[in-house]
């Protein structure tokens, strides 16, 4: 069920009143049943897979807590193997088999193992990682095992963040299902405002940019220069608005029920370095890899070479987590390499007397850093969005080709050239709406960071407050792209 669909509007309009009307003891069960319905709306049979991992991890948590020594570790490994095994079967079997076929072919040997005709269960990577964090935390003694099966099942299946996060830790979420939440007007309105803002980012910006990006990336070999540059920039904005929009709707819908989910994005394109970008982008996944992979590998407490190796391992696995493709692995390797290069060279460019720099110099220094980081992440996104490695290679090679010449010739462009080179297969009006939406996004995020724009609006006089809400809703309804065929990008992971 898509957050930007009529189906979800009806679903949410039924679930929320029920949540507050029902006696407290029935709420967890109701939310679990609602979450099952929400998940089964996509491919019903796959709830069996999700339920099987829930059963395994539920009993594994209890057994881990009761056991000591090697038995304790054995039950943890059983849980991890079950989760990773199911994820690998559905997500990586064909990828590994295709690479095995290529390897054997180079040795003049045929691979008789056929590929599987299976569909990846939606959001499998997300709820797998959330389930794994539960058994790991129980093993570490930081979380008691949950004895109520329904409560634990809801921890994995809670519908707002079931298919695309945030990836929650048991310490943050489990206890909230046991607390009695009463209707709170301030929380409800705050949640609704966040949901509306997420919907704006999704349907007004991301979904409008989707066709423009696809115009180039779905058939890249007929383009050079300007259209590749524009579509690459637009994809950077699209994936941010698409994914952060989902997170906003998820966090907002949970907030209405009195449940707090972790912040997943913090203006990542305002970052002044690649490490800062990863502290702001998909925070729940970044911290997951940090706590459960990077630190156990030794983190930054090892020798410099080993730290670099640890970072590269984390980012290669992070790339593979996103998708079973060499493109994703390369995308992870690019980010790992950029962070390593930053760690090597950052000290060389630090001013010895930072206090002497005035605010004008600091502004331009920060602005240049932000532009550089945006450009680097946008180039890396090429591998994320391109359909094949050959497409990504072509896009990289032809991105600068004839770019300056096209800029010089823009005044003499024909209408067809404007459509193919600038408007990316769409109309001038559609292009202006998309660019205007991006400008509005940047301005609102800037002012929100400076002086909490939302709080200012919420505390203003009613005519100003409700006018702002009405304008946002009208913009969503009038300028939004409501196409059920455009899913959230991260659903595929």
């Amino acid at each position: 069920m898509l957050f930007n669909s009529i189906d979800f509007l009806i679903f949410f309009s039924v679930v929320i009143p029920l949540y507050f009307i029902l006696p407290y003891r029935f709420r967890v069960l109701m939310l679990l049943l609602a979450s099952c319905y929400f998940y089964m709306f996509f491919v019903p049979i796959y709830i069996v897979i999700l339920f099987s991992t829930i059963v395994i991890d539920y009993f594994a948590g209890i057994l881990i807590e009761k056991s000591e020594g090697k038995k304790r570790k054995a039950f943890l490994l059983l849980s991890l193997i079950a989760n990773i095994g199911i994820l690998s079967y559905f997500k990586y079997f064909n990828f590994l088999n295709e690479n095995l076929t290529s390897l054997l072919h180079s040795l003049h040997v045929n691979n008789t193992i056929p590929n599987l005709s299976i569909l990846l269960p939606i959001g499998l990577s997300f709820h797998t990682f959330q389930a794994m964090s539960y058994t790991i935390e129980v093993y570490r003694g930081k979380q008691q095992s949950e004895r109520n099966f329904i409560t634990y099942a809801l921890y994995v299946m809670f519908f707002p963040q079931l298919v695309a996060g945030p990836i929650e830790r048991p310490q943050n979420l489990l206890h909230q299902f046991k607390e009695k939440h009463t209707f709170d007007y301030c929380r409800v309105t705050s949640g609704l405002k966040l949901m509306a803002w997420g919907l704006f980012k999704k349907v007004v910006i991301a979904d409008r940019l989707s066709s423009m990006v696809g115009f180039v990336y779905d058939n890249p070999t007929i383009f050079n220069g300007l259209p590749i540059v524009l579509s690459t920039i637009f994809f950077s904005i699209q994936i941010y608005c698409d994914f952060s929009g989902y997170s906003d709707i998820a966090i907002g819908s949970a907030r209405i029920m009195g449940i707090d989910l972790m912040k997943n994005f913090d203006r990542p394109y305002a970052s002044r370095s690649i490490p800062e970008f990863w502290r702001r982008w998909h925070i729940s996944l970044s911290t997951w890899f940090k706590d459960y992979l990077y630190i156990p590998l030794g983190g930054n407490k090892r020798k410099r070479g080993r730290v670099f190796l640890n970072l590269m391992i984390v980012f290669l696995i992070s790339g593979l987590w996103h998708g079973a493709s060499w493109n994703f692995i390369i995308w992870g390797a690019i980010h790992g390499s950029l962070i390593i290069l930053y760690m090597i060279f950052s000290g060389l460019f630090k001013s010895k007397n930072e206090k002497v720099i005035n605010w004008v110099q600091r502004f331009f220094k920060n602005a240049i850093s932000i532009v550089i980081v945006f450009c680097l992440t946008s180039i890396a996104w090429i591998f994320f969005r391109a359909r094949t490695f050959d497409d990504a290679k072509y896009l990289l090679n032809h991105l600068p080709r004839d770019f300056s010449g096209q800029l010089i010739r823009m005044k003499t462009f024909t209408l067809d050239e404007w459509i193919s080179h600038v408007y990316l297969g769409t109309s001038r009006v559609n292009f202006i709406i998309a660019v205007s939406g991006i400008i509005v996004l940047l301005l609102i995020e800037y002012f929100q960071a400076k002086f909490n724009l939302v709080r200012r609006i919420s505390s203003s006089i009613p005519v100003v407050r409700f006018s702002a809400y009405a304008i946002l809703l009208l913009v969503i309804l009038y300028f939004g792209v409501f196409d059920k065929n455009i899913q959230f990008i991260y659903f595929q992971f």
Side-chain angles (χ1 to χ4, degrees), residues 206 209 233-245 265 269 281 322 331 381 384-385 489-490 493:
L209 292 175
I233 292 171
F234 283 171
F235 179 69
S236 297
I237 304 298
Q238 180 199 349
I239 194 170
Y240 167 64
C241 289
D242 190 280
F243 194 14
S244 68
F265 290 87
Y269 292 137
W281 177 274
H322 282 84
W331 172 79
W381 284 131
F384 201 97
R385 177 59 177 84
I489 293 173
Y490 267 69
F493 308 133

Side-chain angles (χ1 to χ4, degrees), residues 265-325:
F265 290 87
D266 185 15
R267 298 171 62 237
Y269 292 137
S271 303
R272 291 166 292 180
S273 68
I274 297 297
E276 184 182 353
F277 173 83
W278 279 103
R279 290 194 294 270
R280 292 167 172 258
W281 177 274
H282 201 174
I283 299 168
S284 63
L285 181 66
S286 299
T287 53
W288 197 100
F289 275 115
K290 176 186 174 184
D291 292 343
Y292 300 132
L293 185 58
Y294 181 65
I295 292 176
L297 285 172
N300 56 6
K301 294 183 179 180
R302 300 294 184 92
K303 291 182 178 180
R304 198 170 178 83
R306 179 58 187 272
V307 171
F308 294 162
L309 177 62
N310 293 343
L311 282 168
M312 189 56 72
I313 290 171
V314 168
F315 276 96
L316 288 174
I317 295 176
S318 174
L320 192 60
W321 178 90
H322 282 84
S325 162

Side-chain angles (χ1 to χ4, degrees), residues 398-410:
H398 290 76
L399 185 144
R401 189 167 298 183
D402 198 31
F403 176 70
S404 58
Q406 290 169 345
L407 288 178
I408 293 170
R409 297 195 308 272
M410 278 182 68

Side-chain angles (χ1 to χ4, degrees), residues 178-189:
K178 302 175 184 179
E179 297 166 358
K180 186 174 182 180
H181 302 111
T182 57
F183 183 89
D184 185 319
Y185 175 81
C186 291
R187 287 188 67 96
V188 170
T189 55

Side-chain angles (χ1 to χ4, degrees), residues 24 85 98 113 127 145 180 196 204 207 209 255 278 291 295 302 315 321 388 446 458:
Y24 165 70
E98 288 165 4
I113 303 173
H127 49 72
S145 64
K180 186 174 182 180
V204 177
D207 288 356
L209 292 175
R255 185 180 296 171
W278 279 103
D291 292 343
I295 292 176
R302 300 294 184 92
F315 276 96
W321 178 90
T388 65
Y446 175 80
S458 300

Side-chain angles (χ1 to χ4, degrees), residues 13 53 118 246 282 288 352 362 395 416:
S13 300
T53 60
I118 53 175
Y246 178 94
H282 201 174
W288 197 100
K352 293 181 179 180
R362 187 176 293 110
L395 288 161
D416 287 343

Side-chain angles (χ1 to χ4, degrees), residues 55-123:
V55 171
I56 291 170
D57 293 327
Y58 169 75
F59 286 107
I62 295 172
L63 292 170
I64 289 168
E65 191 174 65
K66 286 183 175 180
S67 306
E68 295 180 358
K70 291 183 178 179
K71 279 190 176 181
R72 186 179 176 86
K73 183 174 288 187
F75 288 127
L76 173 65
L77 288 174
L78 175 65
S79 169
L80 297 180
I81 290 169
N83 281 281
I84 296 173
I86 291 172
L87 179 63
S88 299
Y89 176 78
F90 283 96
K91 192 167 185 175
Y92 303 113
F93 180 88
N94 287 345
F95 172 68
L96 295 172
N97 194 42
E98 288 165 4
N99 282 276
L100 177 62
T101 300
S102 298
L103 176 62
L104 292 176
H105 181 73
S106 66
L107 300 173
H108 306 288
V109 178
N110 291 326
N111 180 15
T112 59
I113 303 173
N115 277 352
L116 300 174
S117 298
I118 53 175
L119 183 67
L120 178 68
I122 195 165

